[in-house]
Structures are given as C-alpha cells and as structure tokens.
Amino acid sequence: MNVLRHTDPDFGERLRQVTALSSLFDPEIEERTRAILEVVQARGDDAVLELTERFDGAKLRAYHLPVSQAELMSASLQADESLRAAVAEADNNIAAFARKSRRKEWWMRNSHGAAVGERFDPFPRVGIYIPGGTAPLVSTALMTVTLARVAGCPEIVVCTPCARDGALNPALLYAARAAGATEIYRVGGAQAIAAMAYGTKTIRRVQKIFGPGNAYVVAAKRLVVGHVAIDLLPGPSELLVLADDTGDARFIAADLLAQAEHGSGHERVWLVTPSGKLLKAVERELSKQLSKLLRAEFIQRALENNGWLIQVRTLEEGVELSNRLAPEHCEVMTRDACRLSRGLKSAGAIFLGPWSPTVLGDYIAGPSHTLPTGGAGASFAGLTVDQFQRRTSVVEYGRASIKRALRTVEKFAEVEGLDAHRRSAEARFGRSRSGRGKSR
C-alpha cells in the first residue's frame, strides 16, 4: 500500500500520479482492442472462435457458443435453496428500485396549443456483458439483466467468458436466466463486445451494450460507439473512503480489501483522511486482515499498483480530491456524513456512515452496482433502468396551433435563408410563394 501525506516534500507531484488516468485509457490496450474489433467485424464467428481459444483456452465450434436449454435446466436443478433465496432477495430490491426510476410517457401543451411530449420505449434488443475471469460475478447478472427486464426489453442477450472446457458457472447461468436473459453466449473479452456490436452469423447485433468488464472490454465499448450505443464505462473496481478521526480502522481496511479483491490488478482503492492516527491504524489493519484472505495474492497486487493511504490537511481537501478522482464507490465515514457528502459531485455511488459498506451495493441494496470508473464518473452516472429505454419526442399540431406558429416559422426561415422550410409550413394554408420575406 502506498502512503502519501500532505507534509511530504513531493506531495503535489505524487498526488498528480494518484489522479492520473486509469488503465481504461491505456493507448497500448486501445490499440490491441481495436485490432480485435476489426477482425471480428471482418470475419465474424470464425474470429470469435479463434480469439476465444487464444485468450480463454477454449476450443469451440460456432454451435457451442449459445447456451442450450438443457444447460439452463441443469443450472436451475443445481441451484440450492440458499442461492435461490439470495437471487430472489437481490432481484426484488433491484427491481423495486428500477421501477421507481423508470421513465414514463408525458404530454403538455406548448405556447401554440400543440401537444408535445416524450415517449420512452424499451430497446428491442440489448446486449449485456457479465465478467468471468477469476470470479464468476453472479451479482452482475442481476444488476444488469433485471433492469432490462423491468424496462421491458423483449430480447436480452448475455455474453460471458467460459472456462477452458467451455463450461459456464451454473450459479451465474441460474441468476441470468432468473433475471430475464433470453439468450446467453459463452464468449468474453473484447470479442464479445465486437460480436454484439457488429453481429455475426450466430450472435445477432444489438442496439445497446451494457455491463462492466476489464480494461479491454471497456476500451471495446468506447470504440464501438456509433455502431451501437453503450451505457457507461464500468471497468476495474474502485473505492475511496473519506474518513475523519471517528472512522473505524477495521471497517475501512475490510472495505478497501474487498474492492481490491477482483483480481485484475487494475483495481484502485484510496483512504483519504486528515487523521494521521487513523491512517496508521488502517495500515496496520490491512496487513493483519490481508493475511487471512483467500485471494490475498490478487489483493496484494492491486494494493501495490493502485492502493493509496492519503493524509490531507482538511476534510474539505478530501472532498476536493474525491471529486478529482471521481471514484466508482465513495464511503463517507465522518461526523455528519450526509452533510459532507453533498459536496461529492462525481462519485458513482455514495455510501454513508460506518454501517453502509460498499459490498451491500455490490449485492443487494437495490441500485445497480454497474458504475463508472477510471474518472468517467465526472461525466457518466451509474446504470439505471431508463438507460434501457429509448427516448422519442412527439409533436402533434392542429390547424389552429400551426397557424399561431406560422409567423415565427417564417421569420426563422427568412433569417436562415431556408426557403423550403418556410414553404413546408405555408403549404398547409395555400400561402406558399417564391422569394424570401414574410407572407401576408
């Protein structure tokens, strides 16, 4: 774990290192990802299969890519009562939260008396990426697919990487199916994003792609924008804990270790505090707790690469630093945490007080855990159900209302020199004439 104090002579320089862009914007990763996208766009299934063998070690044929009904039935039979209960509890909370934030059609009358409004329709076909790697993210199936179901998307396509023998984790399959997935494919990485964006013989293209992933997956999502829409840029996990001297070192250390656990080595965690005493106590707790964890090797790598204990002068400086970092998760363990949190403007999700660890957001609280990382939180919000809805504005004028609008339309057309625009409106009244200027 790296330690940085405001009293260090090189504090400013090292702080710039802390706030540098994450692996999501690594030019070497982007170059490699672009090559993967291009070959899948050109060669479809053949490229997907070759890349799956190269990166995942799985030698498959095209007919192996879709998960069969028999596999889904087997996964369902393997799901014990405790898993079923956990999936149902999380799904209920996520769906309830999503229903509250779902956008609904609305109408009003404008100044001409015309009806104007917005309609929100579910995307007909969406693609969802669920990471695999060193841990099957069963919870991600619920945090993404459930929202698509609540939005009413009729076709919900899931891609997730398989093991070397082509197998998929049965708990993940059960959760994805229970959440509402209509198609599941055993393909991961940037090639999965390419397949959903461009389409192949086996995997039909989608309108929008959702879900978190490693640096290559997120780079792929950025590069296919225009061919499809995307949700946001959710990459390797991040947590910033903002604490004062009331913070509990045991809680803070446990939460930092949990978010460094995923295994890519690109996870980023920070403690930001004005308390030197708390910083030292957290440092001791990290060493003590890390030795007892199953994935200590993965966690240690993340902490060495991107783990920081930072002592600032004041909490206000801590808030400013948090806004610069735009962390995926921000825990506030201070006096009057709710008041202080109102200054946080770029976090993906905020967790208030010592009894709100990020893991609750990861699994069961209700809001989706698919959140922006790598500084993208300054521009992107976390995943919400309305992102599965396509917004369309609707306009309905009648004879009386267009008549009231006509003079203004004519003026804009005159100023812009767009004669056909004026004629389009005037034609309704048999008043179209050549030349520029107002109609009488």
Side-chain angles (χ1 to χ4, degrees):
M1 199 77 173
N2 304 284
V3 178
L4 180 58
R5 294 180 174 85
H6 65 84
T7 53
D8 295 340
D10 58 348
F11 179 74
E13 179 58 35
R14 294 184 69 200
L15 198 60
R16 280 190 286 276
Q17 178 186 348
V18 174
T19 56
L21 293 176
S22 78
S23 61
L24 300 187
F25 304 96
D26 185 317
E28 186 174 333
I29 288 176
E30 181 166 320
E31 183 179 350
R32 293 174 183 169
T33 302
R34 193 185 300 277
I36 292 170
L37 297 178
E38 289 173 352
V39 74
V40 173
Q41 186 177 24
R43 298 179 52 231
D45 281 345
D46 289 342
V48 169
L49 295 169
E50 289 173 12
L51 292 164
T52 298
E53 183 176 5
R54 184 196 309 173
F55 296 127
D56 298 323
K59 190 172 180 62
L60 306 174
R61 299 287 183 88
Y63 61 81
H64 292 135
L65 292 176
V67 173
S68 68
Q69 289 301 314
E71 289 176 275
L72 293 172
M73 180 63 70
S74 175
S76 181
L77 292 173
Q78 291 179 62
D80 60 27
E81 287 304 315
S82 61
L83 174 61
R84 292 173 182 273
V87 167
E89 182 179 345
D91 183 77
N92 287 339
N93 277 351
I94 296 162
F97 189 92
R99 283 191 288 270
K100 281 286 187 182
S101 60
R102 186 172 50 196
R103 300 292 299 272
K104 297 177 178 61
E105 180 178 304
W106 63 267
W107 293 89
M108 60 169 277
R109 294 283 175 181
N110 69 7
S111 63
H112 308 126
V116 294
E118 290 183 321
R119 197 179 73 200
F120 297 90
D121 301 306
F123 281 97
R125 183 173 173 83
V126 296
I128 294 173
Y129 188 82
I130 300 176
T134 62
L137 295 185
V138 176
S139 57
T140 299
L142 298 161
M143 294 288 180
T144 50
V145 178
T146 298
L147 274 65
R149 185 190 80 228
V150 171
C153 299
E155 296 181 16
I156 305 172
V157 179
V158 167
C159 284
T160 189
C162 63
R164 293 180 66 87
D165 62 357
L168 293 174
N169 182 277
L172 190 152
L173 288 180
Y174 172 75
R177 179 72 179 276
T182 60
E183 301 168 36
I184 304 176
Y185 298 92
R186 63 186 94 244
V187 54
Q191 62 269 29
I193 303 303
M196 290 190 284
Y198 306 132
T200 72
K201 185 176 181 180
T202 301
I203 304 173
R204 291 190 294 113
R205 70 182 297 270
V206 302
Q207 279 83 46
K208 190 170 182 177
I209 297 175
F210 301 80
N214 63 21
Y216 289 90
V217 168
V218 179
K221 287 174 69 176
R222 285 194 293 111
L223 291 170
V224 298
V225 170
H227 295 277
V228 291
I230 66 167
D231 53 351
L232 57 146
L233 301 175
S237 189
E238 298 172 346
L239 169 62
L240 185 147
V241 179
L242 182 60
D244 60 15
D245 57 0
T246 66
D248 189 309
R250 295 169 303 158
F251 295 177
I252 294 170
D255 296 352
L256 294 173
L257 292 169
Q259 294 309 306
E261 185 176 29
H262 290 286
S264 75
H266 295 295
E267 292 76 19
R268 303 200 297 174
V269 295
W270 308 270
L271 166 66
V272 178
T273 179
S275 171
K277 182 179 179 182
L278 178 65
L279 186 148
K280 290 179 181 177
V282 170
E283 190 173 19
R284 288 193 297 270
E285 278 293 328
L286 285 167
S287 297
K288 184 190 303 183
Q289 294 184 29
L290 178 61
S291 63
K292 302 174 183 177
L293 297 175
L294 295 175
R295 295 169 66 85
E297 182 181 347
F298 292 117
I299 297 170
Q300 185 65 46
R301 182 174 60 181
L303 295 183
E304 289 174 358
N305 291 342
N306 299 297
W308 292 86
L309 303 176
I310 304 173
Q311 184 183 6
V312 291
R313 291 179 180 84
T314 65
L315 279 176
E316 289 69 29
E317 285 188 6
V319 169
E320 181 184 351
L321 178 56
S322 176
N323 285 332
R324 287 171 61 188
L325 289 166
E328 178 187 21
H329 310 98
C330 184
E331 293 182 2
V332 184
M333 298 192 193
T334 64
R335 298 176 181 84
D336 200 359
C338 185
R339 180 195 61 78
L340 187 71
S341 73
R342 298 195 180 280
L344 299 170
K345 304 300 184 183
S346 62
I350 298 171
F351 297 79
L352 299 177
W355 305 107
S356 304
T358 297
V359 67
L360 295 175
D362 287 342
Y363 290 146
I364 56 171
S368 177
H369 73 199
T370 303
L371 300 164
T373 66
S379 306
F380 288 82
L383 185 62
T384 50
V385 69
D386 60 289
Q387 294 177 53
F388 291 87
Q389 297 174 289
R390 186 187 179 282
R391 172 196 172 276
T392 306
S393 58
V394 183
V395 176
E396 183 182 17
Y397 272 71
R399 181 179 178 82
S401 52
I402 191 175
K403 188 174 182 179
R404 285 191 283 271
L406 190 58
R407 186 176 296 275
T408 303
V409 170
E410 290 172 335
K411 185 60 183 178
F412 275 112
E414 175 191 347
V415 171
E416 295 180 355
L418 299 176
D419 189 49
H421 278 58
R422 175 178 56 78
R423 287 170 175 266
S424 173
E426 291 179 342
R428 269 73 180 165
F429 300 95
R431 297 170 60 181
S432 182
R433 62 181 178 82
S434 60
R436 299 174 66 180
K438 293 183 180 178
S439 174
R440 300 298 183 195

PDB file of all heavy atoms in Angstrom, residues 325-338:
ATOM      1  N   LEU A 325     -10.804  12.532  -8.415  1.00  0.00           N
ATOM      2  CA  LEU A 325     -10.635  11.112  -8.719  1.00  0.00           C
ATOM      3  C   LEU A 325     -11.900  10.493  -9.305  1.00  0.00           C
ATOM      4  O   LEU A 325     -11.830   9.512 -10.041  1.00  0.00           O
ATOM      5  CB  LEU A 325     -10.236  10.350  -7.447  1.00  0.00           C
ATOM      6  CG  LEU A 325      -8.818  10.613  -6.946  1.00  0.00           C
ATOM      7  CD1 LEU A 325      -8.645  10.093  -5.525  1.00  0.00           C
ATOM      8  CD2 LEU A 325      -7.797   9.951  -7.868  1.00  0.00           C
ATOM      9  N   ALA A 326     -13.079  11.046  -8.973  1.00  0.00           N
ATOM     10  CA  ALA A 326     -14.368  10.509  -9.441  1.00  0.00           C
ATOM     11  C   ALA A 326     -14.444   8.999  -9.212  1.00  0.00           C
ATOM     12  O   ALA A 326     -14.592   8.220 -10.149  1.00  0.00           O
ATOM     13  CB  ALA A 326     -14.576  10.843 -10.916  1.00  0.00           C
ATOM     14  N   PRO A 327     -14.368   8.549  -7.956  1.00  0.00           N
ATOM     15  CA  PRO A 327     -14.304   7.106  -7.691  1.00  0.00           C
ATOM     16  C   PRO A 327     -15.624   6.408  -7.994  1.00  0.00           C
ATOM     17  O   PRO A 327     -16.701   7.002  -7.913  1.00  0.00           O
ATOM     18  CB  PRO A 327     -13.996   7.045  -6.193  1.00  0.00           C
ATOM     19  CG  PRO A 327     -14.621   8.294  -5.645  1.00  0.00           C
ATOM     20  CD  PRO A 327     -14.383   9.337  -6.712  1.00  0.00           C
ATOM     21  N   GLU A 328     -15.513   5.141  -8.313  1.00  0.00           N
ATOM     22  CA  GLU A 328     -16.712   4.325  -8.546  1.00  0.00           C
ATOM     23  C   GLU A 328     -17.586   4.298  -7.290  1.00  0.00           C
ATOM     24  O   GLU A 328     -18.798   4.526  -7.347  1.00  0.00           O
ATOM     25  CB  GLU A 328     -16.287   2.905  -8.920  1.00  0.00           C
ATOM     26  CG  GLU A 328     -17.450   1.954  -9.147  1.00  0.00           C
ATOM     27  CD  GLU A 328     -16.990   0.527  -9.347  1.00  0.00           C
ATOM     28  OE1 GLU A 328     -15.864   0.176  -8.936  1.00  0.00           O
ATOM     29  OE2 GLU A 328     -17.777  -0.258  -9.903  1.00  0.00           O
ATOM     30  N   HIS A 329     -16.983   3.981  -6.153  1.00  0.00           N
ATOM     31  CA  HIS A 329     -17.676   3.976  -4.864  1.00  0.00           C
ATOM     32  C   HIS A 329     -16.984   4.961  -3.932  1.00  0.00           C
ATOM     33  O   HIS A 329     -15.750   5.035  -3.924  1.00  0.00           O
ATOM     34  CB  HIS A 329     -17.627   2.597  -4.203  1.00  0.00           C
ATOM     35  CG  HIS A 329     -18.029   1.467  -5.084  1.00  0.00           C
ATOM     36  ND1 HIS A 329     -17.109   0.668  -5.752  1.00  0.00           N
ATOM     37  CD2 HIS A 329     -19.247   0.982  -5.420  1.00  0.00           C
ATOM     38  CE1 HIS A 329     -17.744  -0.261  -6.442  1.00  0.00           C
ATOM     39  NE2 HIS A 329     -19.047  -0.087  -6.269  1.00  0.00           N
ATOM     40  N   CYS A 330     -17.775   5.683  -3.145  1.00  0.00           N
ATOM     41  CA  CYS A 330     -17.198   6.582  -2.138  1.00  0.00           C
ATOM     42  C   CYS A 330     -17.917   6.354  -0.822  1.00  0.00           C
ATOM     43  O   CYS A 330     -19.122   6.583  -0.717  1.00  0.00           O
ATOM     44  CB  CYS A 330     -17.328   8.042  -2.568  1.00  0.00           C
ATOM     45  SG  CYS A 330     -16.531   9.196  -1.422  1.00  0.00           S
ATOM     46  N   GLU A 331     -17.176   5.864   0.173  1.00  0.00           N
ATOM     47  CA  GLU A 331     -17.731   5.701   1.517  1.00  0.00           C
ATOM     48  C   GLU A 331     -17.361   6.923   2.347  1.00  0.00           C
ATOM     49  O   GLU A 331     -16.199   7.355   2.348  1.00  0.00           O
ATOM     50  CB  GLU A 331     -17.173   4.445   2.184  1.00  0.00           C
ATOM     51  CG  GLU A 331     -17.617   3.151   1.513  1.00  0.00           C
ATOM     52  CD  GLU A 331     -17.087   1.912   2.214  1.00  0.00           C
ATOM     53  OE1 GLU A 331     -16.389   2.046   3.250  1.00  0.00           O
ATOM     54  OE2 GLU A 331     -17.371   0.807   1.721  1.00  0.00           O
ATOM     55  N   VAL A 332     -18.337   7.458   3.055  1.00  0.00           N
ATOM     56  CA  VAL A 332     -18.104   8.630   3.896  1.00  0.00           C
ATOM     57  C   VAL A 332     -18.275   8.207   5.347  1.00  0.00           C
ATOM     58  O   VAL A 332     -19.378   7.898   5.799  1.00  0.00           O
ATOM     59  CB  VAL A 332     -19.076   9.773   3.548  1.00  0.00           C
ATOM     60  CG1 VAL A 332     -18.734  11.019   4.372  1.00  0.00           C
ATOM     61  CG2 VAL A 332     -19.010  10.089   2.057  1.00  0.00           C
ATOM     62  N   MET A 333     -17.167   8.156   6.079  1.00  0.00           N
ATOM     63  CA  MET A 333     -17.187   7.767   7.496  1.00  0.00           C
ATOM     64  C   MET A 333     -16.675   8.939   8.322  1.00  0.00           C
ATOM     65  O   MET A 333     -15.518   8.977   8.745  1.00  0.00           O
ATOM     66  CB  MET A 333     -16.321   6.520   7.724  1.00  0.00           C
ATOM     67  CG  MET A 333     -16.793   5.291   6.986  1.00  0.00           C
ATOM     68  SD  MET A 333     -15.927   3.815   7.575  1.00  0.00           S
ATOM     69  CE  MET A 333     -16.375   2.629   6.317  1.00  0.00           C
ATOM     70  N   THR A 334     -17.554   9.921   8.481  1.00  0.00           N
ATOM     71  CA  THR A 334     -17.194  11.152   9.189  1.00  0.00           C
ATOM     72  C   THR A 334     -18.360  11.582  10.077  1.00  0.00           C
ATOM     73  O   THR A 334     -19.464  11.055   9.969  1.00  0.00           O
ATOM     74  CB  THR A 334     -16.915  12.298   8.204  1.00  0.00           C
ATOM     75  OG1 THR A 334     -18.132  12.607   7.494  1.00  0.00           O
ATOM     76  CG2 THR A 334     -15.820  11.934   7.216  1.00  0.00           C
ATOM     77  N   ARG A 335     -18.120  12.546  10.893  1.00  0.00           N
ATOM     78  CA  ARG A 335     -19.226  13.210  11.588  1.00  0.00           C
ATOM     79  C   ARG A 335     -20.132  13.875  10.539  1.00  0.00           C
ATOM     80  O   ARG A 335     -19.626  14.471   9.597  1.00  0.00           O
ATOM     81  CB  ARG A 335     -18.702  14.278  12.548  1.00  0.00           C
ATOM     82  CG  ARG A 335     -17.798  13.740  13.671  1.00  0.00           C
ATOM     83  CD  ARG A 335     -17.248  14.889  14.510  1.00  0.00           C
ATOM     84  NE  ARG A 335     -16.355  14.413  15.570  1.00  0.00           N
ATOM     85  CZ  ARG A 335     -15.066  14.156  15.393  1.00  0.00           C
ATOM     86  NH1 ARG A 335     -14.518  14.364  14.203  1.00  0.00           N
ATOM     87  NH2 ARG A 335     -14.332  13.724  16.397  1.00  0.00           N
ATOM     88  N   ASP A 336     -21.414  13.766  10.738  1.00  0.00           N
ATOM     89  CA  ASP A 336     -22.384  14.373   9.819  1.00  0.00           C
ATOM     90  C   ASP A 336     -22.061  14.014   8.359  1.00  0.00           C
ATOM     91  O   ASP A 336     -21.875  14.869   7.497  1.00  0.00           O
ATOM     92  CB  ASP A 336     -22.408  15.892  10.000  1.00  0.00           C
ATOM     93  CG  ASP A 336     -23.689  16.513   9.465  1.00  0.00           C
ATOM     94  OD1 ASP A 336     -24.546  15.768   8.936  1.00  0.00           O
ATOM     95  OD2 ASP A 336     -23.830  17.747   9.558  1.00  0.00           O
ATOM     96  N   ALA A 337     -22.005  12.708   8.115  1.00  0.00           N
ATOM     97  CA  ALA A 337     -21.610  12.209   6.794  1.00  0.00           C
ATOM     98  C   ALA A 337     -22.556  12.687   5.690  1.00  0.00           C
ATOM     99  O   ALA A 337     -22.115  12.978   4.571  1.00  0.00           O
ATOM    100  CB  ALA A 337     -21.561  10.685   6.817  1.00  0.00           C
ATOM    101  N   CYS A 338     -23.843  12.780   5.997  1.00  0.00           N
ATOM    102  CA  CYS A 338     -24.808  13.198   4.975  1.00  0.00           C
ATOM    103  C   CYS A 338     -24.517  14.619   4.498  1.00  0.00           C
ATOM    104  O   CYS A 338     -24.524  14.890   3.291  1.00  0.00           O
ATOM    105  CB  CYS A 338     -26.222  13.089   5.538  1.00  0.00           C
ATOM    106  SG  CYS A 338     -27.513  13.440   4.322  1.00  0.00           S
TER     107      CYS A 338
END
